[in-house]
């Protein structure tokens, strides 16, 4: 067995182990709910959760209302829009800061002061400025998701090999040409890693914003289900959020692998 075959076997075993862990958790959930370890008012059965999920997505073939599908579209749209804005401004600002050691020295303390602020803590301020509207939630999502991209971009540009800067000076390259031809390819692995983290943060902040600002989405659906003690609907929303996070991360990981093919031996 050569190295490639061993690698494929290792990947298969890892995936099989992940599937086994997931099945074990579902089995434990089934036992806890069906055996009465936890009241079904708070912990529904997997069957009831799955039925609520199908009904909410209007996939049951019955008289499902499809409200969960509309809520999902609103949350995913808000997450993607905020993530795109965060990625755009994060890369632009990060590149402007990362290419200049002087600017990094001036701005770094301010970045370290603002970076730890949780985006959800800014919701009251955003509400007072923008009001209770979708634009307010979008602003908070973009603000919260921008920091991983911004800091990763700064790190990627700051880590450019000094000899590349010397080559750029010898070739009399402009700052813009250096950023595009040398800095950006060098920083791309850091940028993509920051974008993957930012996508998760965008989903979390979007849900929290929907809960607090009463905007249509999965966050509001989960909150209303909890208040009405509709445990199966609540868990259906949580499962759907997990699926959205898993699918979005997998898609971005695939895109990252494709974009960084030139780095692979």
């Amino acid at each position: 067995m050569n190295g490639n075959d061993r690698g494929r076997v290792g990947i298969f075993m890892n995936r099989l182990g992940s599937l086994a862990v997931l099945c074990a958790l579902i089995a434990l959930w089934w036992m806890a709910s069906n055996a009465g370890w936890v009241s079904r008012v708070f912990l529904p059965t997997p069957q009831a959760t799955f039925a609520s999920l199908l009904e909410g997505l209007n996939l049951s073939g019955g008289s499902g209302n499809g409200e969960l599908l509309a809520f999902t579209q609103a949350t995913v749209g808000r997450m993607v829009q905020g993530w795109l804005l965060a990625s755009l401004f994060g890369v632009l600002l990060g590149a402007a800061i990362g290419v200049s050691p002087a600017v990094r020295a001036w701005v770094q303390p301010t970045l370290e002061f603002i970076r730890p602020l949780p985006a959800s803590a800014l919701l009251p301020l955003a509400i007072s400025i923008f009001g209770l509207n979708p634009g307010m939630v979008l602003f908070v999502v973009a603000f919260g998701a921008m920091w991983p991209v911004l800091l990763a971009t700064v790190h990627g540009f700051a880590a450019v090999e000094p000899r590349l800067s010397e080559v750029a000076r010898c070739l009399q390259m402009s700052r813009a040409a250096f950023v595009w031809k040398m800095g950006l390819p060098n920083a791309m692995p850091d940028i993509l890693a920051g974008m993957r983290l930012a996508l998760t943060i965008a989903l979390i902040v979007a849900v929290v914003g929907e809960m607090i600002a009463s905007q249509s989405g999965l966050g509001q659906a989960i909150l209303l289900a909890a208040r009405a003690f509709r445990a199966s609907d609540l868990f259906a929303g949580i499962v759907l959020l997990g699926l959205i996070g898993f699918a979005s991360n997998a898609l971005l990981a695939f895109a990252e692998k494709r974009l960084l093919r030139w780095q692979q031996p």
Side-chain angles (χ1 to χ4, degrees):
M1 182 180 295
N2 56 33
N4 290 333
D5 292 336
R6 285 195 296 269
R8 294 192 187 97
V9 171
I11 293 174
F12 174 77
M13 293 303 297
N14 289 336
R15 292 178 177 175
L16 187 62
S18 300
L19 182 61
V21 171
L22 178 61
C23 292
L25 290 175
I26 295 176
L28 180 61
W29 176 13
W30 183 88
M31 291 176 60
S33 57
N34 283 278
W37 298 350
V38 181
S39 173
R40 293 189 183 181
V41 175
F42 305 105
L43 182 65
T45 63
Q47 309 95 287
T49 299
F50 187 65
S52 295
L53 185 61
L54 291 181
E55 182 180 356
L57 295 176
N58 205 13
L59 299 176
S60 59
S63 57
N65 51 28
E67 286 185 352
L68 201 57
L69 180 60
F71 288 144
T72 301
Q73 292 172 345
T75 298
V76 171
R78 198 169 284 120
M79 174 191 73
V80 172
Q81 293 175 28
W83 175 71
L84 290 175
L85 288 173
S87 300
L88 175 62
F89 286 101
V91 171
L92 292 177
L93 292 175
I97 296 171
V99 296
S100 174
V103 175
R104 287 201 305 272
W106 296 341
V107 177
Q108 195 69 30
T110 303
L111 294 180
E112 293 300 325
F113 174 77
I114 300 177
R115 178 180 62 84
L117 295 177
S120 56
L122 298 177
L123 277 169
L125 177 61
I127 291 174
S128 64
I129 296 175
F130 299 101
L132 288 173
N133 56 68
M136 180 276 299
V137 179
L138 182 61
F139 167 78
V140 177
V141 171
F143 178 84
M146 181 184 68
W147 295 101
V149 183
L150 172 61
L151 296 176
T153 304
V154 171
H155 178 270
F157 276 91
V160 172
E161 176 63 40
R163 284 176 292 186
L164 291 178
S165 301
E166 296 175 3
V167 171
R169 285 194 294 269
C170 293
L171 295 176
Q172 297 182 348
M173 294 177 62
S174 64
R175 179 61 61 88
F178 172 77
V179 168
W180 179 253
K181 296 181 179 180
M182 295 186 177
L184 189 60
N186 184 84
M188 189 59 68
D190 293 290
I191 293 173
L192 292 175
M195 290 175 67
R196 288 181 65 181
L197 180 58
L199 190 60
T200 302
I201 294 176
L203 177 59
I204 295 172
V205 178
V207 171
V208 173
E210 289 165 356
M211 289 180 174
I212 295 178
S214 299
Q215 296 297 309
S216 177
L218 285 176
Q220 185 187 54
I222 291 173
L223 185 62
L224 294 177
R227 289 175 176 174
F229 292 95
R230 301 196 310 269
S232 59
D233 293 341
L234 187 152
F235 272 71
I238 293 174
V239 169
L240 194 53
L241 284 176
L243 292 175
I244 292 171
F246 178 82
S248 59
N249 183 73
L251 287 174
L252 201 54
F254 175 76
E256 180 180 355
K257 185 176 180 180
R258 299 283 294 180
L259 290 173
L260 298 180
R261 282 183 302 174
W262 57 273
Q263 285 192 332
Q264 299 174 5

